[in-house]
Amino acid sequence: MTEKEKEDFYYSVYELVKHIPLGRACSYGMIAKAIGFPNHSRMVGKAMNECNSQTNNIPAHRVVNSQGKLSGREAFENANTMQLLLESEGLIIHNNQIQNWKEIRWNPFKEL
DNA sequence: CCGATGACAAGCA
DNA sequence: ATGCTTGCCATCG
Protein backbone atom coordinates (compact mmCIF):
# COMPACT_ATOMS: atom_id res chain seq x y z
CA MET A 1 0.00 0.00 0.00
CA THR A 2 1.54 3.30 -1.10
CA GLU A 3 1.63 6.49 0.96
CA LYS A 4 -0.94 8.09 -1.30
CA GLU A 5 -3.34 5.20 -0.92
CA LYS A 6 -2.96 5.43 2.82
CA GLU A 7 -3.68 9.16 2.77
CA ASP A 8 -6.73 8.59 0.57
CA PHE A 9 -7.93 5.89 2.90
CA TYR A 10 -7.69 8.10 5.99
CA TYR A 11 -9.27 11.02 4.16
CA SER A 12 -12.16 8.88 2.93
CA VAL A 13 -12.75 7.59 6.45
CA TYR A 14 -12.92 11.10 7.88
CA GLU A 15 -15.24 12.33 5.14
CA LEU A 16 -17.63 9.45 5.64
CA VAL A 17 -17.63 9.79 9.43
CA LYS A 18 -18.46 13.47 9.06
CA HIS A 19 -21.57 12.44 7.12
CA ILE A 20 -22.98 10.31 9.92
CA PRO A 21 -26.25 12.03 10.91
CA LEU A 22 -26.81 13.31 14.42
CA GLY A 23 -28.35 10.70 16.65
CA ARG A 24 -27.10 7.83 14.54
CA ALA A 25 -23.95 5.66 14.67
CA CYS A 26 -21.89 3.46 12.40
CA SER A 27 -19.45 0.55 12.74
CA TYR A 28 -15.79 0.35 11.73
CA GLY A 29 -16.44 -2.47 9.33
CA MET A 30 -19.25 -0.68 7.53
CA ILE A 31 -17.09 2.40 7.04
CA ALA A 32 -14.24 0.32 5.67
CA LYS A 33 -16.54 -1.44 3.21
CA ALA A 34 -18.22 1.78 2.16
CA ILE A 35 -14.95 3.31 1.00
CA GLY A 36 -13.80 0.19 -0.82
CA PHE A 37 -11.58 -1.59 1.72
CA PRO A 38 -13.74 -4.43 3.06
CA ASN A 39 -11.08 -5.84 5.36
CA HIS A 40 -9.55 -2.70 6.83
CA SER A 41 -11.76 -2.29 9.86
CA ARG A 42 -8.73 -2.15 12.13
CA MET A 43 -7.24 0.63 10.06
CA VAL A 44 -10.42 2.63 10.54
CA GLY A 45 -9.83 2.35 14.27
CA LYS A 46 -6.27 3.57 13.79
CA ALA A 47 -7.54 6.50 11.74
CA MET A 48 -9.97 7.42 14.51
CA ASN A 49 -7.17 7.27 17.04
CA GLU A 50 -5.26 9.93 15.10
CA CYS A 51 -8.20 11.95 13.83
CA ASN A 52 -7.99 14.67 16.51
CA SER A 53 -11.79 14.82 16.54
CA GLN A 54 -11.85 18.02 18.63
CA THR A 55 -10.08 20.29 16.15
CA ASN A 56 -11.07 18.49 12.96
CA ASN A 57 -14.77 18.36 13.80
CA ILE A 58 -14.99 14.61 13.31
CA PRO A 59 -17.77 12.83 15.24
CA ALA A 60 -15.57 9.90 16.16
CA HIS A 61 -17.92 9.06 19.01
CA ARG A 62 -20.51 7.92 16.44
CA VAL A 63 -18.22 5.08 15.38
CA VAL A 64 -18.51 1.85 17.35
CA ASN A 65 -17.80 -1.80 16.68
CA SER A 66 -20.14 -4.17 14.84
CA GLN A 67 -22.06 -4.97 18.02
CA GLY A 68 -22.78 -1.35 18.90
CA LYS A 69 -20.21 -1.37 21.68
CA LEU A 70 -18.07 1.65 22.64
CA SER A 71 -14.69 0.00 22.22
CA GLY A 72 -12.84 3.30 21.81
CA ARG A 73 -13.97 5.25 24.84
CA GLU A 74 -10.50 5.10 26.38
CA ALA A 75 -9.12 7.09 23.43
CA PHE A 76 -11.09 10.23 24.38
CA GLU A 77 -10.03 12.80 26.94
CA ASN A 78 -12.05 11.14 29.65
CA ALA A 79 -13.21 7.55 29.46
CA ASN A 80 -16.86 8.68 29.66
CA THR A 81 -16.65 11.53 27.12
CA MET A 82 -17.71 9.28 24.26
CA GLN A 83 -20.77 8.05 26.09
CA LEU A 84 -21.75 11.55 27.23
CA LEU A 85 -21.51 12.89 23.68
CA LEU A 86 -23.70 10.11 22.36
CA GLU A 87 -26.24 10.49 25.15
CA SER A 88 -26.37 14.22 24.51
CA GLU A 89 -27.40 13.35 20.95
CA GLY A 90 -30.27 11.24 22.17
CA LEU A 91 -28.72 7.77 22.13
CA ILE A 92 -29.11 5.40 25.03
CA ILE A 93 -26.04 3.57 26.28
CA HIS A 94 -26.19 0.83 28.82
CA ASN A 95 -23.30 -1.30 30.00
CA ASN A 96 -20.97 0.25 27.41
CA GLN A 97 -23.36 -0.67 24.61
CA ILE A 98 -25.78 1.30 22.43
CA GLN A 99 -29.40 0.29 22.95
CA ASN A 100 -31.56 -0.21 19.86
CA TRP A 101 -28.38 -0.61 17.85
CA LYS A 102 -30.26 -2.07 14.90
CA GLU A 103 -32.44 1.04 14.79
CA ILE A 104 -29.63 3.52 15.40
CA ARG A 105 -27.21 1.96 12.93
CA TRP A 106 -26.56 4.18 9.91
CA ASN A 107 -26.18 2.51 6.52
CA PRO A 108 -23.72 4.46 4.30
CA PHE A 109 -24.91 2.55 1.22
CA LYS A 110 -28.65 3.14 1.56
CA GLU A 111 -28.69 6.54 3.17
CA LEU A 112 -25.76 8.42 1.65
C1' DC B 1 12.48 -11.28 10.06
C1' DC B 2 9.48 -12.63 13.83
C1' DG B 3 6.13 -11.99 17.26
C1' DA B 4 2.91 -9.13 19.83
C1' DT B 5 -0.54 -5.67 19.86
C1' DG B 6 -4.58 -3.00 18.52
C1' DA B 7 -11.13 2.19 18.65
C1' DC B 8 -12.25 -4.84 14.25
C1' DA B 9 -15.10 -8.68 12.20
C1' DA B 10 -16.98 -13.21 10.91
C1' DG B 11 -17.32 -18.06 11.66
C1' DC B 12 -17.96 -21.84 14.63
C1' DA B 13 -18.51 -24.90 18.65
C1' DA C 1 -25.30 -16.01 24.28
C1' DT C 2 -20.22 -16.72 25.33
C1' DG C 3 -15.70 -17.70 24.20
C1' DC C 4 -12.14 -19.10 20.88
C1' DT C 5 -9.92 -18.91 16.24
C1' DT C 6 -8.73 -16.93 12.13
C1' DG C 7 -8.12 -13.15 8.84
C1' DC C 8 -6.74 -8.53 8.39
C1' DC C 9 -2.82 -4.71 8.20
C1' DA C 10 0.17 -1.00 10.32
C1' DT C 11 3.44 -0.23 13.99
C1' DC C 12 7.10 -1.54 17.51
C1' DG C 13 10.80 -3.94 19.78
Side-chain angles (χ1 to χ4, degrees):
Chain A
M1 189 178 244
T2 70
E3 277 300 319
K4 185 183 184 312
E5 285 175 317
K6 201 157 43 175
E7 284 178 20
D8 289 347
F9 176 77
Y10 275 59
Y11 180 76
S12 303
V13 170
Y14 297 151
E15 281 307 299
L16 190 60
V17 171
K18 283 185 193 169
H19 291 163
I20 301 176
L22 193 110
R24 306 290 296 282
C26 193
S27 81
Y28 302 92
M30 269 193 285
I31 293 171
K33 275 186 214 160
I35 63 179
F37 296 85
N39 34 357
H40 285 47
S41 47
R42 304 185 89 144
M43 304 303 110
V44 175
K46 197 174 286 290
M48 289 299 99
N49 194 31
E50 303 174 6
C51 75
N52 205 343
S53 59
Q54 307 279 320
T55 59
N56 288 333
N57 230 11
I58 298 174
H61 54 281
R62 298 188 194 139
V63 185
V64 297
N65 69 12
S66 61
Q67 308 171 54
K69 238 177 143 185
L70 281 54
S71 42
R73 54 186 310 163
E74 297 293 336
F76 288 77
E77 296 187 342
N78 311 97
N80 40 349
T81 301
M82 186 174 188
Q83 175 168 350
L84 291 177
L85 284 171
L86 288 169
E87 287 177 337
S88 74
E89 296 180 357
L91 276 73
I92 305 167
I93 291 143
H94 190 50
N95 199 5
N96 208 39
Q97 171 139 7
I98 298 178
Q99 302 300 291
N100 299 334
W101 169 231
K102 295 182 84 168
E103 310 292 325
I104 296 300
R105 185 167 51 183
W106 178 65
N107 187 328
F109 301 99
K110 271 199 81 158
E111 308 187 35
L112 185 57

